[in-house]
Amino acid sequence: MAGHSKWANIKHRKGRQDAVRSKQFTRAAKEIIIAAKVSGDIANNPRLRSAIAAAKAVNLPKDKIENAIKKGTGELAGGDIHEITYEGYGPGGVAILIEVASDNKNRIVAEMRHTLNKGNGNMGEAGSVAWMFDNKGQIVIKKDAVSEEQVMDLGLEAGAEDIIEEDENWDIRCEPTDLEAVRTAFEEAGIAIESAEMAKIPQNTIELDAEGAKKMLRLIDLLEENDDVQNVFTNMDVSDDVMAELNAE
């Protein structure tokens, strides 16, 4: 649930480590393929550099990274992948943005509509909820990897707009054009990064009770089970008390 690191660690995914790992590999490889379509020149393609860094962070093997680049540049077959964003609503009126990377536009739109309906949501028209989100670069770093003073100094000097302290993480946000510079600043300082990616940050959030959160998390799970889904962003929020309740189950 990129863009919502505050509650991304809710234990509704326990027991799915292997499935999650496979999904991470698929997602990382597809992002490399898409990024490499612009250019396979890593030095002059910031998106490709970020995609490769993200792939390494989830331990995608080197040969799979190289093959993904070649698929994107057309050297290997399998690069006919399209980026599409679907918009909709979930339980409680929560806004949803679904980013997919698919080789079959007709199939994926039918699957997304079916999944939303199954999870008590519905597909929206283009533009129906996108205006509720801001496009930002987002970097997540474990709090035990860096001091508050260091994260502030490095982040703000590199171009970060906002640094949010959460239970276990620092959530660092910046303009999309500054993501590479901010990520590089922390890496060059020897600080481990959990994730660095483009995210859709909601301008306002809808707070859900435990029952509403369960329904929404189930819908997110259903969407993320689709191999073509790259990211799911929502304007859902849950209180600390509700998070504790969900974690206890």
Side-chain angles (χ1 to χ4, degrees):
M1 293 171 286
H4 295 277
S5 57
K6 172 184 173 184
W7 38 269
N9 293 322
I10 293 174
K11 297 176 183 177
H12 69 289
R13 285 182 172 77
K14 58 187 175 183
R16 296 178 57 206
Q17 289 89 345
D18 289 343
V20 169
R21 183 179 179 83
S22 175
K23 175 67 178 180
Q24 288 175 330
F25 280 9
T26 300
R27 178 176 180 266
K30 283 187 174 182
E31 175 61 20
I32 292 173
I33 291 170
I34 293 168
K37 284 186 175 187
V38 177
S39 169
D41 183 357
I42 298 172
N44 294 306
N45 186 337
R47 182 173 179 180
L48 182 56
R49 288 200 301 275
S50 293
I52 292 172
K56 289 179 177 178
V58 298
N59 298 313
L60 184 68
K62 182 179 179 181
D63 63 323
K64 293 188 181 296
I65 292 175
E66 292 172 349
N67 286 341
I69 294 173
K70 290 178 180 178
K71 288 179 180 180
T73 59
E75 295 177 64
L76 292 177
D80 187 23
I81 294 176
H82 306 280
E83 285 186 285
I84 314 165
T85 299
Y86 296 106
E87 305 176 39
Y89 294 91
V94 170
I96 306 175
L97 286 179
I98 310 160
E99 294 181 343
V100 306
S102 177
D103 60 0
N104 189 321
K105 293 181 180 180
N106 292 330
R107 171 181 55 77
I108 192 61
V109 67
E111 290 177 353
M112 291 298 96
R113 183 174 289 110
H114 172 74
T115 302
L116 285 166
N117 289 338
K118 182 178 179 180
N120 297 309
N122 61 279
M123 186 84 82
E125 297 292 330
S128 59
V129 304
W131 61 272
M132 302 180 190
F133 296 80
D134 293 324
N135 195 32
K136 296 290 182 181
Q138 183 180 44
I139 295 173
V140 176
I141 298 175
K142 288 288 186 185
K143 288 176 69 174
D144 57 12
V146 61
S147 68
E148 180 176 2
E149 181 179 4
Q150 194 173 19
V151 76
M152 292 293 179
D153 288 346
L154 285 171
L156 296 175
E157 184 175 345
E161 290 183 330
D162 200 5
I163 299 174
I164 302 166
E165 181 177 3
E166 299 177 347
D167 288 343
E168 299 178 358
N169 302 321
W170 293 108
D171 182 354
I172 303 154
R173 298 175 184 176
C174 62
E175 285 299 314
T177 52
D178 292 327
L179 178 60
E180 179 75 6
V182 177
R183 179 183 65 80
T184 300
F186 284 103
E187 287 183 340
E188 291 181 346
I191 297 167
I193 292 174
E194 289 295 299
S195 65
E197 58 192 348
M198 299 303 299
K200 300 295 192 296
I201 306 297
Q203 297 169 3
N204 296 288
T205 58
I206 294 177
E207 187 166 328
L208 298 178
D209 60 17
E211 188 60 31
K214 284 182 193 176
K215 291 178 180 178
M216 192 61 220
L217 289 169
R218 176 178 176 271
L219 174 54
I220 292 171
D221 271 345
L222 290 172
L223 291 166
E224 290 184 339
E225 284 173 1
N226 190 301
D227 284 341
D228 285 349
V229 172
Q230 294 289 91
N231 293 297
V232 178
F233 301 101
T234 81
N235 66 346
M236 164 190 177
D237 197 9
V238 292
S239 69
D240 291 340
D241 288 343
V242 170
M243 282 198 291
E245 184 177 341
L246 293 174
N247 275 323
E249 293 183 354

